[in-house]
Amino acid sequence: MTDRELVERALAARSGAYAPYSGFEVGAALLAADGTVYTGANIENASYGLSICAERVAVFKAVSEGRREFTALAVASGGDDYCRPCGACRQVLAEFAPDLRLLMANARGDFRETRLAELLPEAFRLRST
Ligand code: THU
Protein backbone atom coordinates (compact mmCIF):
# COMPACT_ATOMS: atom_id res chain seq x y z
CA MET A 1 0.00 0.00 0.00
CA THR A 2 1.66 3.22 -1.14
CA ASP A 3 0.94 6.61 0.42
CA ARG A 4 -0.80 7.62 -2.79
CA GLU A 5 -3.07 4.55 -2.62
CA LEU A 6 -3.93 5.22 1.02
CA VAL A 7 -4.87 8.81 0.14
CA GLU A 8 -7.05 7.49 -2.70
CA ARG A 9 -8.81 5.18 -0.23
CA ALA A 10 -9.49 8.16 2.07
CA LEU A 11 -10.88 10.20 -0.82
CA ALA A 12 -13.13 7.32 -1.87
CA ALA A 13 -14.32 6.86 1.71
CA ARG A 14 -15.78 10.39 1.61
CA SER A 15 -18.69 8.96 -0.35
CA GLY A 16 -19.84 7.28 2.85
CA ALA A 17 -20.09 10.56 4.76
CA TYR A 18 -23.39 11.57 6.29
CA ALA A 19 -22.95 15.31 6.74
CA PRO A 20 -26.29 17.05 6.09
CA TYR A 21 -25.64 19.73 8.72
CA SER A 22 -22.13 20.92 7.93
CA GLY A 23 -21.94 19.79 4.31
CA PHE A 24 -18.29 18.99 5.11
CA GLU A 25 -17.53 15.44 3.98
CA VAL A 26 -14.44 13.72 5.31
CA GLY A 27 -12.90 10.35 4.52
CA ALA A 28 -10.19 8.46 6.36
CA ALA A 29 -8.12 5.37 5.62
CA LEU A 30 -6.16 3.74 8.43
CA LEU A 31 -3.42 1.25 7.61
CA ALA A 32 -3.00 -1.48 10.22
CA ALA A 33 0.36 -3.13 10.83
CA ASP A 34 -0.88 -6.32 9.16
CA GLY A 35 -1.62 -4.41 5.95
CA THR A 36 -5.40 -4.19 6.36
CA VAL A 37 -6.96 -0.82 5.53
CA TYR A 38 -9.94 0.42 7.55
CA THR A 39 -11.88 3.31 6.13
CA GLY A 40 -14.23 5.76 7.79
CA ALA A 41 -16.40 8.77 7.01
CA ASN A 42 -17.93 11.39 9.25
CA ILE A 43 -21.45 10.71 10.52
CA GLU A 44 -23.42 13.68 11.82
CA ASN A 45 -26.49 13.81 14.01
CA ALA A 46 -29.37 16.24 14.53
CA SER A 47 -28.04 16.52 18.07
CA TYR A 48 -24.80 17.99 16.74
CA GLY A 49 -22.53 16.91 19.57
CA LEU A 50 -23.21 13.27 18.79
CA SER A 51 -21.56 13.56 15.40
CA ILE A 52 -18.38 11.57 14.87
CA CYS A 53 -15.36 12.24 12.69
CA ALA A 54 -14.14 10.04 9.87
CA GLU A 55 -10.88 9.22 11.67
CA ARG A 56 -12.62 7.88 14.74
CA VAL A 57 -14.99 5.77 12.65
CA ALA A 58 -11.94 4.21 10.98
CA VAL A 59 -10.04 3.57 14.21
CA PHE A 60 -13.09 2.20 16.02
CA LYS A 61 -13.83 -0.16 13.14
CA ALA A 62 -10.23 -1.39 13.23
CA VAL A 63 -9.96 -1.78 16.99
CA SER A 64 -13.32 -3.50 17.22
CA GLU A 65 -12.01 -6.04 14.73
CA GLY A 66 -8.92 -6.77 16.79
CA ARG A 67 -6.31 -4.46 15.28
CA ARG A 68 -4.12 -2.60 17.76
CA GLU A 69 -1.12 -1.43 15.73
CA PHE A 70 -1.23 1.09 12.94
CA THR A 71 1.36 2.53 10.61
CA ALA A 72 -0.38 5.36 8.73
CA LEU A 73 -3.60 7.30 8.42
CA ALA A 74 -4.79 9.29 5.43
CA VAL A 75 -7.54 11.86 5.88
CA ALA A 76 -9.20 13.84 3.09
CA SER A 77 -11.89 16.48 2.77
CA GLY A 78 -13.25 18.70 0.02
CA GLY A 79 -11.67 21.92 -1.13
CA ASP A 80 -8.06 22.99 -1.42
CA ASP A 81 -7.02 22.77 2.22
CA TYR A 82 -5.24 19.75 3.60
CA CYS A 83 -7.58 18.10 6.09
CA ARG A 84 -6.11 18.08 9.58
CA PRO A 85 -7.44 15.70 12.26
CA CYS A 86 -9.31 17.44 15.07
CA GLY A 87 -7.99 17.38 18.63
CA ALA A 88 -10.34 14.62 19.79
CA CYS A 89 -9.25 12.34 16.96
CA ARG A 90 -5.59 13.04 17.70
CA GLN A 91 -6.08 11.85 21.27
CA VAL A 92 -7.96 8.71 20.19
CA LEU A 93 -5.28 7.86 17.62
CA ALA A 94 -2.52 8.47 20.19
CA GLU A 95 -3.99 5.69 22.32
CA PHE A 96 -2.82 3.14 19.77
CA ALA A 97 -0.13 4.83 17.69
CA PRO A 98 1.43 7.87 19.40
CA ASP A 99 3.73 8.57 16.47
CA LEU A 100 1.46 7.52 13.61
CA ARG A 101 2.34 8.78 10.13
CA LEU A 102 -0.38 11.12 8.91
CA LEU A 103 -1.20 11.98 5.31
CA MET A 104 -3.41 15.07 5.17
CA ALA A 105 -5.08 15.44 1.79
CA ASN A 106 -7.29 17.85 -0.12
CA ALA A 107 -10.00 17.12 -2.69
CA ARG A 108 -7.47 16.86 -5.52
CA GLY A 109 -5.47 14.20 -3.69
CA ASP A 110 -2.52 16.46 -2.96
CA PHE A 111 -1.25 15.64 0.49
CA ARG A 112 1.19 16.68 3.16
CA GLU A 113 2.86 14.19 5.48
CA THR A 114 3.34 14.74 9.19
CA ARG A 115 3.36 12.67 12.37
CA LEU A 116 0.88 12.47 15.19
CA ALA A 117 3.54 13.34 17.77
CA GLU A 118 4.03 16.64 15.96
CA LEU A 119 0.32 17.44 15.98
CA LEU A 120 -0.23 16.27 19.55
CA PRO A 121 2.96 16.63 21.57
CA GLU A 122 2.75 15.42 25.15
CA ALA A 123 -0.56 13.63 24.63
CA PHE A 124 -2.48 12.75 27.75
CA ARG A 125 -1.63 9.34 29.20
CA LEU A 126 -3.11 7.76 32.29
CA ARG A 127 0.25 6.30 33.23
CA SER A 128 3.74 7.32 32.23
CA THR A 129 4.72 3.78 31.12
N1 THU B 1 -14.62 16.19 10.79
C1 THU B 1 -14.00 14.99 10.57
O1 THU B 1 -14.62 14.02 10.12
N2 THU B 1 -12.67 14.91 10.86
C2 THU B 1 -11.92 15.92 11.36
O2 THU B 1 -10.76 15.72 11.67
C3 THU B 1 -12.51 17.25 11.52
C4 THU B 1 -13.97 17.36 11.32
C5 THU B 1 -16.04 16.28 10.50
C6 THU B 1 -16.92 16.44 11.72
C7 THU B 1 -18.13 17.13 11.14
O3 THU B 1 -19.01 16.14 10.64
C8 THU B 1 -17.59 17.94 9.98
O4 THU B 1 -16.30 17.43 9.72
C9 THU B 1 -17.49 19.43 10.26
O5 THU B 1 -16.84 19.68 11.44
PDB file of all heavy atoms in Angstrom, residues 18-19 22-27 41-44 51-56 75 83-87 89, ligand 1:
ATOM      1  N   TYR A  18     -22.028  11.086   6.056  1.00  0.00           N
ATOM      2  CA  TYR A  18     -23.395  11.565   6.286  1.00  0.00           C
ATOM      3  C   TYR A  18     -23.232  12.907   6.990  1.00  0.00           C
ATOM      4  O   TYR A  18     -22.968  12.965   8.199  1.00  0.00           O
ATOM      5  CB  TYR A  18     -24.164  10.574   7.162  1.00  0.00           C
ATOM      6  CG  TYR A  18     -25.543  11.073   7.550  1.00  0.00           C
ATOM      7  CD1 TYR A  18     -26.584  11.097   6.625  1.00  0.00           C
ATOM      8  CD2 TYR A  18     -25.789  11.528   8.840  1.00  0.00           C
ATOM      9  CE1 TYR A  18     -27.838  11.568   6.977  1.00  0.00           C
ATOM     10  CE2 TYR A  18     -27.046  12.001   9.207  1.00  0.00           C
ATOM     11  CZ  TYR A  18     -28.063  12.020   8.272  1.00  0.00           C
ATOM     12  OH  TYR A  18     -29.302  12.485   8.611  1.00  0.00           O
ATOM     13  N   ALA A  19     -23.273  13.980   6.210  1.00  0.00           N
ATOM     14  CA  ALA A  19     -22.953  15.307   6.736  1.00  0.00           C
ATOM     15  C   ALA A  19     -23.974  16.347   6.274  1.00  0.00           C
ATOM     16  O   ALA A  19     -23.611  17.353   5.657  1.00  0.00           O
ATOM     17  CB  ALA A  19     -21.536  15.708   6.316  1.00  0.00           C
ATOM     18  N   SER A  22     -23.291  20.081   8.264  1.00  0.00           N
ATOM     19  CA  SER A  22     -22.131  20.917   7.926  1.00  0.00           C
ATOM     20  C   SER A  22     -21.867  20.939   6.428  1.00  0.00           C
ATOM     21  O   SER A  22     -21.245  21.866   5.911  1.00  0.00           O
ATOM     22  CB  SER A  22     -20.877  20.397   8.638  1.00  0.00           C
ATOM     23  OG  SER A  22     -20.444  19.175   8.057  1.00  0.00           O
ATOM     24  N   GLY A  23     -22.288  19.897   5.727  1.00  0.00           N
ATOM     25  CA  GLY A  23     -21.939  19.786   4.311  1.00  0.00           C
ATOM     26  C   GLY A  23     -20.468  19.507   4.093  1.00  0.00           C
ATOM     27  O   GLY A  23     -19.980  19.546   2.960  1.00  0.00           O
ATOM     28  N   PHE A  24     -19.740  19.205   5.168  1.00  0.00           N
ATOM     29  CA  PHE A  24     -18.287  18.992   5.111  1.00  0.00           C
ATOM     30  C   PHE A  24     -18.022  17.490   5.182  1.00  0.00           C
ATOM     31  O   PHE A  24     -18.129  16.870   6.240  1.00  0.00           O
ATOM     32  CB  PHE A  24     -17.629  19.724   6.286  1.00  0.00           C
ATOM     33  CG  PHE A  24     -16.139  19.822   6.211  1.00  0.00           C
ATOM     34  CD1 PHE A  24     -15.520  20.770   5.404  1.00  0.00           C
ATOM     35  CD2 PHE A  24     -15.336  18.971   6.969  1.00  0.00           C
ATOM     36  CE1 PHE A  24     -14.134  20.873   5.354  1.00  0.00           C
ATOM     37  CE2 PHE A  24     -13.955  19.066   6.925  1.00  0.00           C
ATOM     38  CZ  PHE A  24     -13.347  20.019   6.116  1.00  0.00           C
ATOM     39  N   GLU A  25     -17.690  16.895   4.034  1.00  0.00           N
ATOM     40  CA  GLU A  25     -17.533  15.439   3.975  1.00  0.00           C
ATOM     41  C   GLU A  25     -16.072  15.052   4.098  1.00  0.00           C
ATOM     42  O   GLU A  25     -15.212  15.572   3.374  1.00  0.00           O
ATOM     43  CB  GLU A  25     -18.128  14.916   2.671  1.00  0.00           C
ATOM     44  CG  GLU A  25     -19.630  15.207   2.596  1.00  0.00           C
ATOM     45  CD  GLU A  25     -20.281  14.676   1.331  1.00  0.00           C
ATOM     46  OE1 GLU A  25     -19.561  14.451   0.336  1.00  0.00           O
ATOM     47  OE2 GLU A  25     -21.509  14.505   1.359  1.00  0.00           O
ATOM     48  N   VAL A  26     -15.812  14.140   5.014  1.00  0.00           N
ATOM     49  CA  VAL A  26     -14.436  13.724   5.308  1.00  0.00           C
ATOM     50  C   VAL A  26     -14.330  12.210   5.137  1.00  0.00           C
ATOM     51  O   VAL A  26     -15.258  11.467   5.474  1.00  0.00           O
ATOM     52  CB  VAL A  26     -14.055  14.110   6.757  1.00  0.00           C
ATOM     53  CG1 VAL A  26     -12.590  13.763   7.040  1.00  0.00           C
ATOM     54  CG2 VAL A  26     -14.296  15.597   7.008  1.00  0.00           C
ATOM     55  N   GLY A  27     -13.190  11.784   4.614  1.00  0.00           N
ATOM     56  CA  GLY A  27     -12.901  10.351   4.520  1.00  0.00           C
ATOM     57  C   GLY A  27     -11.564  10.060   5.162  1.00  0.00           C
ATOM     58  O   GLY A  27     -10.660  10.896   5.160  1.00  0.00           O
ATOM     59  N   ALA A  41     -15.872   7.481   7.483  1.00  0.00           N
ATOM     60  CA  ALA A  41     -16.397   8.767   7.011  1.00  0.00           C
ATOM     61  C   ALA A  41     -17.134   9.412   8.179  1.00  0.00           C
ATOM     62  O   ALA A  41     -17.577   8.710   9.096  1.00  0.00           O
ATOM     63  CB  ALA A  41     -17.334   8.566   5.828  1.00  0.00           C
ATOM     64  N   ASN A  42     -17.243  10.727   8.140  1.00  0.00           N
ATOM     65  CA  ASN A  42     -17.934  11.388   9.255  1.00  0.00           C
ATOM     66  C   ASN A  42     -19.439  11.132   9.208  1.00  0.00           C
ATOM     67  O   ASN A  42     -20.039  11.048   8.136  1.00  0.00           O
ATOM     68  CB  ASN A  42     -17.614  12.891   9.308  1.00  0.00           C
ATOM     69  CG  ASN A  42     -17.882  13.623   8.017  1.00  0.00           C
ATOM     70  OD1 ASN A  42     -17.744  13.079   6.927  1.00  0.00           O
ATOM     71  ND2 ASN A  42     -18.281  14.883   8.137  1.00  0.00           N
ATOM     72  N   ILE A  43     -20.018  10.991  10.376  1.00  0.00           N
ATOM     73  CA  ILE A  43     -21.447  10.713  10.515  1.00  0.00           C
ATOM     74  C   ILE A  43     -22.019  11.728  11.498  1.00  0.00           C
ATOM     75  O   ILE A  43     -21.657  11.718  12.680  1.00  0.00           O
ATOM     76  CB  ILE A  43     -21.686   9.280  11.028  1.00  0.00           C
ATOM     77  CG1 ILE A  43     -21.041   8.256  10.079  1.00  0.00           C
ATOM     78  CG2 ILE A  43     -23.188   9.018  11.175  1.00  0.00           C
ATOM     79  CD1 ILE A  43     -21.012   6.834  10.619  1.00  0.00           C
ATOM     80  N   GLU A  44     -22.866  12.609  10.974  1.00  0.00           N
ATOM     81  CA  GLU A  44     -23.417  13.681  11.817  1.00  0.00           C
ATOM     82  C   GLU A  44     -24.769  13.272  12.391  1.00  0.00           C
ATOM     83  O   GLU A  44     -25.368  12.264  12.000  1.00  0.00           O
ATOM     84  CB  GLU A  44     -23.510  14.968  10.995  1.00  0.00           C
ATOM     85  CG  GLU A  44     -22.128  15.418  10.539  1.00  0.00           C
ATOM     86  CD  GLU A  44     -22.121  16.737   9.790  1.00  0.00           C
ATOM     87  OE1 GLU A  44     -23.196  17.211   9.370  1.00  0.00           O
ATOM     88  OE2 GLU A  44     -21.016  17.292   9.625  1.00  0.00           O
ATOM     89  N   SER A  51     -22.221  13.848  16.667  1.00  0.00           N
ATOM     90  CA  SER A  51     -21.556  13.558  15.395  1.00  0.00           C
ATOM     91  C   SER A  51     -20.174  12.967  15.655  1.00  0.00           C
ATOM     92  O   SER A  51     -19.556  13.226  16.687  1.00  0.00           O
ATOM     93  CB  SER A  51     -21.408  14.849  14.582  1.00  0.00           C
ATOM     94  OG  SER A  51     -22.685  15.416  14.354  1.00  0.00           O
ATOM     95  N   ILE A  52     -19.707  12.175  14.694  1.00  0.00           N
ATOM     96  CA  ILE A  52     -18.382  11.571  14.868  1.00  0.00           C
ATOM     97  C   ILE A  52     -17.559  11.774  13.601  1.00  0.00           C
ATOM     98  O   ILE A  52     -18.080  11.750  12.478  1.00  0.00           O
ATOM     99  CB  ILE A  52     -18.489  10.074  15.242  1.00  0.00           C
ATOM    100  CG1 ILE A  52     -17.097   9.512  15.577  1.00  0.00           C
ATOM    101  CG2 ILE A  52     -19.177   9.268  14.145  1.00  0.00           C
ATOM    102  CD1 ILE A  52     -17.134   8.181  16.290  1.00  0.00           C
ATOM    103  N   CYS A  53     -16.280  11.974  13.801  1.00  0.00           N
ATOM    104  CA  CYS A  53     -15.359  12.238  12.688  1.00  0.00           C
ATOM    105  C   CYS A  53     -14.985  10.957  11.949  1.00  0.00           C
ATOM    106  O   CYS A  53     -15.028   9.847  12.512  1.00  0.00           O
ATOM    107  CB  CYS A  53     -14.066  12.861  13.210  1.00  0.00           C
ATOM    108  SG  CYS A  53     -14.267  14.473  13.958  1.00  0.00           S
ATOM    109  N   ALA A  54     -14.561  11.149  10.718  1.00  0.00           N
ATOM    110  CA  ALA A  54     -14.140  10.037   9.868  1.00  0.00           C
ATOM    111  C   ALA A  54     -13.005   9.224  10.497  1.00  0.00           C
ATOM    112  O   ALA A  54     -12.995   7.985  10.437  1.00  0.00           O
ATOM    113  CB  ALA A  54     -13.677  10.594   8.526  1.00  0.00           C
ATOM    114  N   GLU A  55     -12.052   9.910  11.106  1.00  0.00           N
ATOM    115  CA  GLU A  55     -10.884   9.221  11.667  1.00  0.00           C
ATOM    116  C   GLU A  55     -11.288   8.276  12.789  1.00  0.00           C
ATOM    117  O   GLU A  55     -10.780   7.167  12.911  1.00  0.00           O
ATOM    118  CB  GLU A  55      -9.878  10.236  12.228  1.00  0.00           C
ATOM    119  CG  GLU A  55      -9.303  11.197  11.207  1.00  0.00           C
ATOM    120  CD  GLU A  55     -10.107  12.493  11.102  1.00  0.00           C
ATOM    121  OE1 GLU A  55     -11.358  12.424  11.088  1.00  0.00           O
ATOM    122  OE2 GLU A  55      -9.483  13.553  11.021  1.00  0.00           O
ATOM    123  N   ARG A  56     -12.225   8.743  13.631  1.00  0.00           N
ATOM    124  CA  ARG A  56     -12.624   7.876  14.741  1.00  0.00           C
ATOM    125  C   ARG A  56     -13.467   6.699  14.259  1.00  0.00           C
ATOM    126  O   ARG A  56     -13.376   5.611  14.811  1.00  0.00           O
ATOM    127  CB  ARG A  56     -13.333   8.690  15.825  1.00  0.00           C
ATOM    128  CG  ARG A  56     -12.316   9.258  16.824  1.00  0.00           C
ATOM    129  CD  ARG A  56     -12.988  10.121  17.856  1.00  0.00           C
ATOM    130  NE  ARG A  56     -13.404  11.375  17.262  1.00  0.00           N
ATOM    131  CZ  ARG A  56     -14.349  12.170  17.756  1.00  0.00           C
ATOM    132  NH1 ARG A  56     -14.988  11.821  18.844  1.00  0.00           N
ATOM    133  NH2 ARG A  56     -14.641  13.319  17.172  1.00  0.00           N
ATOM    134  N   VAL A  75      -6.267  11.191   5.660  1.00  0.00           N
ATOM    135  CA  VAL A  75      -7.545  11.865   5.884  1.00  0.00           C
ATOM    136  C   VAL A  75      -7.726  12.912   4.789  1.00  0.00           C
ATOM    137  O   VAL A  75      -6.772  13.613   4.432  1.00  0.00           O
ATOM    138  CB  VAL A  75      -7.629  12.456   7.315  1.00  0.00           C
ATOM    139  CG1 VAL A  75      -6.498  13.401   7.608  1.00  0.00           C
ATOM    140  CG2 VAL A  75      -8.976  13.109   7.560  1.00  0.00           C
ATOM    141  N   CYS A  83      -6.713  18.367   4.944  1.00  0.00           N
ATOM    142  CA  CYS A  83      -7.582  18.097   6.087  1.00  0.00           C
ATOM    143  C   CYS A  83      -6.751  17.667   7.289  1.00  0.00           C
ATOM    144  O   CYS A  83      -6.018  16.676   7.227  1.00  0.00           O
ATOM    145  CB  CYS A  83      -8.582  17.002   5.730  1.00  0.00           C
ATOM    146  SG  CYS A  83      -9.832  16.782   7.001  1.00  0.00           S
ATOM    147  N   ARG A  84      -6.873  18.400   8.367  1.00  0.00           N
ATOM    148  CA  ARG A  84      -6.107  18.080   9.580  1.00  0.00           C
ATOM    149  C   ARG A  84      -7.035  17.450  10.610  1.00  0.00           C
ATOM    150  O   ARG A  84      -8.133  17.954  10.850  1.00  0.00           O
ATOM    151  CB  ARG A  84      -5.475  19.348  10.147  1.00  0.00           C
ATOM    152  CG  ARG A  84      -4.428  19.946   9.213  1.00  0.00           C
ATOM    153  CD  ARG A  84      -3.828  21.203   9.780  1.00  0.00           C
ATOM    154  NE  ARG A  84      -4.745  22.327   9.757  1.00  0.00           N
ATOM    155  CZ  ARG A  84      -4.923  23.155   8.725  1.00  0.00           C
ATOM    156  NH1 ARG A  84      -4.240  22.969   7.602  1.00  0.00           N
ATOM    157  NH2 ARG A  84      -5.768  24.149   8.791  1.00  0.00           N
ATOM    158  N   PRO A  85      -6.598  16.351  11.247  1.00  0.00           N
ATOM    159  CA  PRO A  85      -7.443  15.704  12.258  1.00  0.00           C
ATOM    160  C   PRO A  85      -7.725  16.640  13.431  1.00  0.00           C
ATOM    161  O   PRO A  85      -6.840  17.380  13.880  1.00  0.00           O
ATOM    162  CB  PRO A  85      -6.596  14.514  12.725  1.00  0.00           C
ATOM    163  CG  PRO A  85      -5.585  14.294  11.651  1.00  0.00           C
ATOM    164  CD  PRO A  85      -5.328  15.626  11.033  1.00  0.00           C
ATOM    165  N   CYS A  86      -8.958  16.593  13.933  1.00  0.00           N
ATOM    166  CA  CYS A  86      -9.309  17.443  15.074  1.00  0.00           C
ATOM    167  C   CYS A  86      -8.615  16.930  16.341  1.00  0.00           C
ATOM    168  O   CYS A  86      -8.064  15.825  16.376  1.00  0.00           O
ATOM    169  CB  CYS A  86     -10.822  17.482  15.267  1.00  0.00           C
ATOM    170  SG  CYS A  86     -11.486  16.040  16.099  1.00  0.00           S
ATOM    171  N   GLY A  87      -8.683  17.719  17.378  1.00  0.00           N
ATOM    172  CA  GLY A  87      -7.994  17.375  18.631  1.00  0.00           C
ATOM    173  C   GLY A  87      -8.489  16.076  19.243  1.00  0.00           C
ATOM    174  O   GLY A  87      -7.687  15.273  19.755  1.00  0.00           O
ATOM    175  N   CYS A  89      -9.763  13.474  17.743  1.00  0.00           N
ATOM    176  CA  CYS A  89      -9.250  12.337  16.964  1.00  0.00           C
ATOM    177  C   CYS A  89      -7.761  12.123  17.224  1.00  0.00           C
ATOM    178  O   CYS A  89      -7.292  10.984  17.272  1.00  0.00           O
ATOM    179  CB  CYS A  89      -9.504  12.557  15.481  1.00  0.00           C
ATOM    180  SG  CYS A  89     -11.264  12.443  15.058  1.00  0.00           S
TER     181      CYS A  89
HETATM  182  N1  THU B   1     -14.617  16.189  10.794  1.00  0.00           N
HETATM  183  C1  THU B   1     -14.003  14.994  10.574  1.00  0.00           C
HETATM  184  O1  THU B   1     -14.622  14.025  10.124  1.00  0.00           O
HETATM  185  N2  THU B   1     -12.675  14.906  10.859  1.00  0.00           N
HETATM  186  C2  THU B   1     -11.925  15.918  11.359  1.00  0.00           C
HETATM  187  O2  THU B   1     -10.760  15.719  11.672  1.00  0.00           O
HETATM  188  C3  THU B   1     -12.509  17.252  11.522  1.00  0.00           C
HETATM  189  C4  THU B   1     -13.966  17.355  11.319  1.00  0.00           C
HETATM  190  C5  THU B   1     -16.037  16.283  10.498  1.00  0.00           C
HETATM  191  C6  THU B   1     -16.920  16.440  11.718  1.00  0.00           C
HETATM  192  C7  THU B   1     -18.128  17.125  11.142  1.00  0.00           C
HETATM  193  O3  THU B   1     -19.009  16.139  10.639  1.00  0.00           O
HETATM  194  C8  THU B   1     -17.585  17.944   9.983  1.00  0.00           C
HETATM  195  O4  THU B   1     -16.298  17.432   9.720  1.00  0.00           O
HETATM  196  C9  THU B   1     -17.494  19.431  10.261  1.00  0.00           C
HETATM  197  O5  THU B   1     -16.836  19.683  11.441  1.00  0.00           O
END
